[in-house]
Structures are given as structure tokens and as C-alpha cells.
């Protein structure tokens, strides 16, 4: 009797496994759909926002004939700058006249891919985001074109609306202007502290030289100012400015703008930063003020924005001689007066790490005036004084010629109970500050000193110098016998 064959078919798969796979596929499809829908919704919202915002964008056609605010400048007959008046200190410089080292320094720190992207650097945005997440020092995501759009047309308000307008203006600028035109506007428009707008004005303000003569180290120092002009100001914050400069030099080397040898030389270069008004400038305040009034009567408020250049008949050499003669005479007169005491008393903190900041803060409101220097006197006696200047300034007591009045004053100072305290002193120079009790009034008898104009030739009617004084029938030409520093002034 034949036997029935046995079945070898595998058992059916469990129903639960097939159900799990089905639900996983459904969840994947649903998630993908939600993501796509979200992306489409965001794109639609952005499109609507752009459609609404674009018609409200400002007209950028005026940038094709870029005319920023330029101050009124007054020059001597030789072409030496005597003074300038205006809200913004600026010297308009075409892109071809800006040295390559200055452009390289700006591009290295602000927008290294400026000539590669179309206005918005997407790679830079990703890099900045990753750097911020990883707490790494970032170069920022705003391109130079975006900064031009913000500085010229928008405000510094941090909002999504302002950012949308900024991006739209960026695309509009990139479409209307070349890269060199955009870079030229940026380098002339940006604020760099101390009323300086543009890198040409900043070079004069901080280094006292034209932009074309700056070095790699100086260019790196200036390139660090746009991010925070007050925080990286080489005059008020030299240490932070130095750190920023060193970082920019490294960025220039990494981007191939300078060689390793140039970078090392730039890091070691000692910069000569102007600490205030230049001692070499020509003092012709009355002449420049007269010119300003005449120009204002003719042009009104446009006097300070049209970039007017006025050349006077005044000769800088004669004016400088007259001004120095006045200073010598006034200081000689002042030394013959009785000691008037220190200008101000300062209470310094007891903690050593707070003393330097307190000294800097106390002297900020009392800047130097030419060879008239300000400092804190920590100790004073009939033989010597111990002055401290604003960091990083150094002071050395030069040789001096004693004057009987000085000796009496020093004796009085040494015996005064307050001589052992903290005080402020002045070195020789004109003491003409008297506003709000901040300085000492120079006491001159009435009608003793009369102004005159020695360069006013009747045949030519040209003013060549002003400021020379006459006192009691004699010119005040007496010298002061060298730089003498003591608490008596």
C-alpha cells in the first residue's frame, strides 16, 4: 500500500514582523511628506516676504555716482592742512589708489571669498555656524556686500525683517555694480573710530601718514577696526588692538596674501600710533574758524558735507614761528607767577591690579596738549617727583635749568601736607584750559597783551601769520630753558 508523501514547505512568517515593516514604511513616508511640506511652506513664506519687501527696497542708483559726506578743509598757501570741519572725517580714495596690502588685509578678515561668491557666502555661513557651535573664533557670515547694504541703507537693528532687506539689497548691489566698485564704497564708507570714515582717513588719524605708505602691520591694525572701532582702537585699547592685529596677520598668511617672512616681520614691527593731536600740525585756529564762517555764510549746512577745499594766503612756516613764540612767552610769564597748586586730586584704589585702570580713567579727561603732558604724581618732595603716565606711555625726567620761582614752588610743594598724596601735574606749556574748572586760568593783566598781524603787508594784503603777541612794548620771546616737569604746573 503506497504511503502519502510528507510536506516539506516552511511554516508561514509571523504576522507581527510584516506588520512592523509596513508601519515603518508608512512612518518614513509620512515623515518625508511632513519635511517636504515644511520646506515648501518655508519657501512659500520666504517668497511672499521677498515679493512684499522687494518693491520697498531703496533706490541704489545714487551709488553709481558715489559722493559721501566730505568735510571742509582749510590749507595754507603751501598746501599744508590747517584744519577741517565736518561730522565725518573722510578722504575719498578711488579703488586704484588703495594699496594692495590694505585690500588684502580687509579681505583676509572680512570676506576672503569676496571675488568668488555672488554676494552671500553660503560656505562662509556654514563655517560661521559650525565655529559658533564649537566655540571657535569665527570670521563672521556677513560679506562685504552685505555690510555695504547695511551701512549705506539700513540700520544696525537685529531682526529677521532687516536681514531679509539686507540680503535683497545684497543681490541688487551685486547685479548693479562690479566687485571693485563695491569694495571701493566699503573702504571709503566704513566707520573706523575717532570720527574717521574710510581707511584713508584712518591712516592719517592713527598713524599720521597717507594710506599709500602703510606697512603690512599697519594695514592689519586698521583692518581690525570695522568689527568694533572702540574695542580695537589702537589709541585707547592698544593691547586688544594688538591681539586683533596679530590674528589678522595670521589670516593674511593663511589666505596667501603675504609670505611667512612678511608675516613674521609684521608681527615684530613696532607701530608708532598717534596718541592725540599731532605736535607737528600748524596752529591756525583763528584763521580756519574765519574761513569756516565765510563758507557757512555762502553754503549753509552743505559746508560740512560738500568736500570744499579752501587755500589761504597764510604761510605755515611763519605761522609756526609765531605760535611757538607765543607759547614761549606765555610759559615764561607763567613761571614767574606764584605756585597755584595741582589741578586735581585723585584717590587711587588700594588693589594693585586696579591702579592702572584708575590712572587711565583719571587722565582720559585731561589729554596732553602738545608738550604739555598730564600724569599722576604718586610722590613729591623738594628733590624729585614720581609721575605716572597713561599706559603704555613712558616718562623720563629730562635735564632742566632751575629757576628761583621753581625752587620756591618745590619747597612749598614739599612742605605741603598734600604733597604725599595723589595728584595731577603739568609739564611746561601753555595753560589755557579754564572751562568747568578743569584747568588753571592764565592771569594776564588787561591791555598788557595785544594781538597783531605781522605778516599783513599793505601792498599785498595777504595774511601770513597770526598769534604773535606784544606785551608792554616788547615781544614775548623768552625761552623756558628746556622740558621741566614738576607738580607745580
Amino acid at each position: 500500500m503506497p504511503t502519502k508523501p510528507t510536506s516539506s514547505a516552511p511554516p508561514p512568517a509571523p504576522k507581527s514582523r510584516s506588520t512592523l515593516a509596513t508601519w515603518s514604511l508608512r512612518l518614513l513616508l509620512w515623515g518625508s511628506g511632513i519635511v517636504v511640506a515644511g520646506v515648501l511652506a518655508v519657501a512659500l513664506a520666504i517668497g511672499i516676504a521677498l515679493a512684499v519687501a522687494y518693491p520697498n527696497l531703496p533706490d541704489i542708483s545714487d551709488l553709481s555716482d558715489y559722493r559721501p559726506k566730505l568735510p571742509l578743509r582749510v590749507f595754507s598757501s603751501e598746501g599744508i592742512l590747517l584744519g577741517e570741519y565736518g561730522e565725518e572725517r573722510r578722504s575719498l580714495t578711488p579703488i586704484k589708489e588703495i594699496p594692495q596690502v590694505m585690500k588684502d588685509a580687509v579681505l583676509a578678515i572680512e570676506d576672503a571669498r569676496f571675488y568668488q561668491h555672488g554676494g552671500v557666502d553660503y560656505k562662509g555661513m556654514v563655517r560661521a555656524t559650525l565655529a559658533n557651535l564649537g566655540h571657535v573664533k569665527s570670521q563672521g557670515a556677513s560679506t562685504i556686500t552685505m555690510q555695504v547694504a547695511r551701512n549705506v541703507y539700513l540700520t544696525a537693528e537685529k531682526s529677521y525683517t532687516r536681514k531679509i532687506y539686507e540680503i535683497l539689497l545684497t543681490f541688487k548691489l551685486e547685479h548693479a555694480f562690479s566687485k571693485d566698485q563695491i569694495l571701493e564704497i566699503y573702504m571709503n564708507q566704513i566707520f573706523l573710530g575717532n570720527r574717521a570714515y574710510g581707511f584713508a582717513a584712518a591712516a592719517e588719524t592713527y598713524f599720521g601718514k597717507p594710506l599709500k605708505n602703510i606697512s603690512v602691520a599697519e594695514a592689519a591694525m586698521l583692518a581690525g577696526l570695522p568689527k568694533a572701532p572702540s574695542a580695537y582702537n589702537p589709541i585707547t585699547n592698544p593691547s586688544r588692538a594688538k591681539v586683533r592685529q596679530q590674528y589678522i596677520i595670521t589670516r593674511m598668511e593663511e589666505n596667501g596674501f603675504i609670505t611667512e617672512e612678511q608675516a613674521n616681520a609684521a608681527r615684530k614691527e613696532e607701530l608708532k600710533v598717534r596718541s592725540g593731536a599731532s605736535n607737528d600740525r600748524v596752529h591756525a585756529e583763528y584763521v580756519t574758524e574765519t574761513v569756516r564762517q565765510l563758507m557757512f555764510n555762502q553754503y549753509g549746512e552743505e559746508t560740512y558735507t560738500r568736500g570744499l577745499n579752501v587755500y589761504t594766503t597764510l604761510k605755515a612756516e611763519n605761522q609756526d614761528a609765531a605760535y611757538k613764540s607765543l607759547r614761549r612767552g606765555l610759559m615764561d610769564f607763567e613761571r614767574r607767577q606764584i605756585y597755584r597748586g595741582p589741578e586735581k586730586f585723585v584717590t587711587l584704589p588700594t588693589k594693585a591690579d586696579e591702579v592702572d585702570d584708575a590712572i587711565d580713567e583719571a587722565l582720559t579727561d585731561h589729554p596732553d596738549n602738545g608738550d604739555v603732558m598730564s600724569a599722576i604724581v604718586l610722590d613729591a618732595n623738594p628733590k624729585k617727583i614720581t609721575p605716572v603716565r597713561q599706559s603704555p606711555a613712558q616718562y623720563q625726567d629730562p635735564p632742566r635749568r632751575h629757576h628761583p620761582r621753581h625752587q620756591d614752588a618745590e619747597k612749598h610743594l614739599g612742605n605741603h601736607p598734600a604733597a604725599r598724596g595723589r595728584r595731577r601735574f603739568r609739564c611746561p606749556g601753555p595753560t589755557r584750559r579754564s572751562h568747568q574748572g578743569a584747568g588753571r586760568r592764565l592771569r594776564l593783566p588787561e591791555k598788557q597783551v595785544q594781538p597783531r598781524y605781522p605778516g599783513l603787508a599793505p601792498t599785498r594784503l595777504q595774511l601770513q601769520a597770526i598769534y604773535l603777541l606784544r606785551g608792554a612794548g616788547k615781544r614775548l620771546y623768552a625761552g623756558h630753558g628746556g622740558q621741566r616737569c614738576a607738580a607745580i604746573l
Side-chain angles (χ1 to χ4, degrees):
M1 183 175 178
T3 59
K4 294 182 179 180
T6 59
S7 176
S8 61
K15 185 180 289 187
S16 60
R17 184 178 300 178
S18 61
T19 304
L20 180 61
T22 302
W23 277 106
S24 298
L25 180 60
R26 290 179 180 179
L27 289 175
L28 179 61
L29 294 175
W30 289 345
S32 301
I34 293 174
V35 171
V36 172
V39 171
L40 292 176
V42 172
L44 180 62
I46 293 177
I48 295 175
L50 296 181
V52 173
Y54 196 83
N56 297 324
L57 293 178
D59 184 16
I60 64 173
S61 60
D62 56 336
L63 281 182
S64 59
D65 186 19
Y66 178 60
R67 293 184 180 181
K69 294 180 180 179
L70 298 175
L72 165 69
R73 289 187 173 91
V74 184
F75 297 89
S76 67
S77 59
E78 306 95 332
I80 299 176
L81 180 65
L82 301 178
E84 58 182 354
Y85 298 90
E87 297 178 2
E88 302 177 359
R89 184 185 292 125
R90 178 186 282 112
S91 180
L92 184 60
T93 308
I95 190 66
K96 294 181 179 180
E97 298 180 11
I98 299 176
Q100 188 63 40
V101 64
M102 188 70 254
K103 291 186 282 188
D104 291 342
V106 171
L107 293 177
I109 190 62
E110 295 294 334
D111 192 357
R113 299 185 64 253
F114 174 69
Y115 285 97
Q116 283 76 47
H117 61 69
V120 177
D121 188 5
Y122 302 104
K123 291 183 179 179
M125 295 175 66
V126 174
R127 182 198 66 239
T129 302
L130 295 176
N132 291 332
L133 292 175
H135 302 286
V136 179
K137 195 169 186 178
S138 172
Q139 294 81 51
S142 292
T143 64
I144 286 180
T145 312
M146 296 170 70
Q147 294 184 54
V148 170
R150 180 171 63 249
N151 294 332
V152 177
Y153 294 106
L154 304 175
T155 64
E157 175 192 5
K158 293 184 179 180
S159 64
Y160 292 107
T161 303
R162 198 270 299 166
K163 197 65 179 179
I164 291 175
Y165 277 102
E166 180 180 311
I167 294 175
L168 290 177
L169 276 173
T170 297
F171 291 137
K172 200 171 182 179
L173 289 171
E174 287 281 343
H175 178 74
F177 303 103
S178 66
K179 288 288 187 179
D180 284 345
Q181 287 177 310
I182 295 173
L183 186 59
E184 177 182 318
I185 295 172
Y186 174 83
M187 301 195 73
N188 283 282
Q189 183 69 25
I190 193 70
F191 174 65
L192 300 173
N194 284 41
R195 287 181 49 240
Y197 287 78
F199 288 93
E204 292 284 354
T205 299
Y206 295 109
F207 300 117
K209 61 170 60 175
L211 185 62
K212 62 181 180 180
N213 295 337
I214 63 172
S215 63
V216 174
E218 292 167 339
M221 182 69 76
L222 295 179
L225 292 170
K227 182 178 181 180
S230 59
Y232 300 112
N233 189 311
I235 297 177
T236 58
N237 291 298
S239 58
R240 294 186 65 181
K242 184 69 174 180
V243 173
R244 178 75 171 169
Q245 178 218 32
Q246 297 294 310
Y247 175 65
I248 294 175
I249 293 174
T250 302
R251 290 284 301 164
M252 294 177 70
E253 181 183 3
E254 291 174 351
N255 285 276
F257 293 129
I258 58 176
T259 63
E260 182 179 356
E261 291 75 13
Q262 289 176 312
N264 293 333
R267 293 188 183 99
K268 298 177 182 178
E269 181 178 340
E270 292 291 335
L271 301 184
K272 297 181 180 180
V273 180
R274 297 175 65 179
S275 59
S278 174
N279 295 335
D280 300 329
R281 72 184 181 95
V282 180
H283 291 271
E285 286 79 2
Y286 285 106
V287 174
T288 57
E289 172 60 19
T290 301
V291 171
R292 185 199 67 81
Q293 293 179 12
L294 293 173
M295 293 297 101
F296 186 83
N297 291 338
Q298 183 171 353
Y299 296 101
E301 292 295 335
E302 292 186 355
T303 301
Y304 311 119
T305 59
R306 291 187 58 173
L308 299 174
N309 294 331
V310 181
Y311 290 83
T312 67
T313 59
L314 184 131
K315 292 185 177 180
E317 183 179 0
N318 293 355
Q319 177 66 22
D320 186 60
Y323 177 76
K324 290 180 178 179
S325 174
L326 171 66
R327 288 176 71 95
R328 287 194 300 267
L330 292 180
M331 284 308 304
D332 182 70
F333 179 88
E334 179 68 8
R335 278 194 300 273
R336 295 195 297 268
Q337 309 308 306
I338 190 172
Y339 169 61
R340 308 173 194 271
E343 290 191 7
K344 183 180 180 181
F345 291 92
V346 178
T347 302
L348 297 179
T350 57
K351 296 182 179 179
D353 57 346
E354 299 178 358
V355 173
D356 290 342
D357 292 338
I359 291 175
D360 291 347
E361 183 178 355
L363 295 179
T364 298
D365 297 333
H366 303 279
D368 295 345
N369 182 1
D371 57 355
V372 182
M373 299 183 295
S374 59
I376 300 291
V377 175
L378 301 180
D379 185 38
N381 57 60
K383 294 184 178 180
K384 71 173 183 177
I385 60 173
T386 305
V388 178
R389 298 261 294 152
Q390 250 182 331
S391 61
Q394 300 291 332
Y395 172 73
Q396 296 179 351
D397 192 8
R400 54 186 183 267
R401 184 180 67 184
H402 284 278
H403 190 282
R405 292 286 184 182
H406 285 159
Q407 295 173 359
D408 294 342
E410 289 177 343
K411 181 178 179 180
H412 173 73
L413 176 63
N415 294 333
H416 197 284
R420 294 181 294 273
R422 279 76 170 172
R423 64 181 63 207
R424 181 170 180 274
F425 80 102
R426 288 271 184 194
C427 296
T431 53
R432 55 185 177 83
R433 297 177 53 196
S434 59
H435 57 285
Q436 299 178 355
R440 297 177 285 108
R441 294 185 181 275
L442 183 62
R443 301 174 184 175
L444 294 176
E446 294 183 4
K447 298 183 180 180
Q448 179 180 350
V449 181
Q450 300 292 336
R452 67 186 304 228
Y453 307 88
L456 191 60
T459 56
R460 298 180 62 188
L461 294 179
Q462 290 186 350
L463 179 65
Q464 297 180 359
I466 192 173
Y467 265 133
L468 188 62
L469 304 186
R470 293 180 68 88
K474 296 186 294 182
R475 291 187 179 182
L476 300 176
Y477 270 108
H480 58 71
Q483 289 280 355
R484 171 169 171 69
C485 295
I488 64 174
L489 290 174

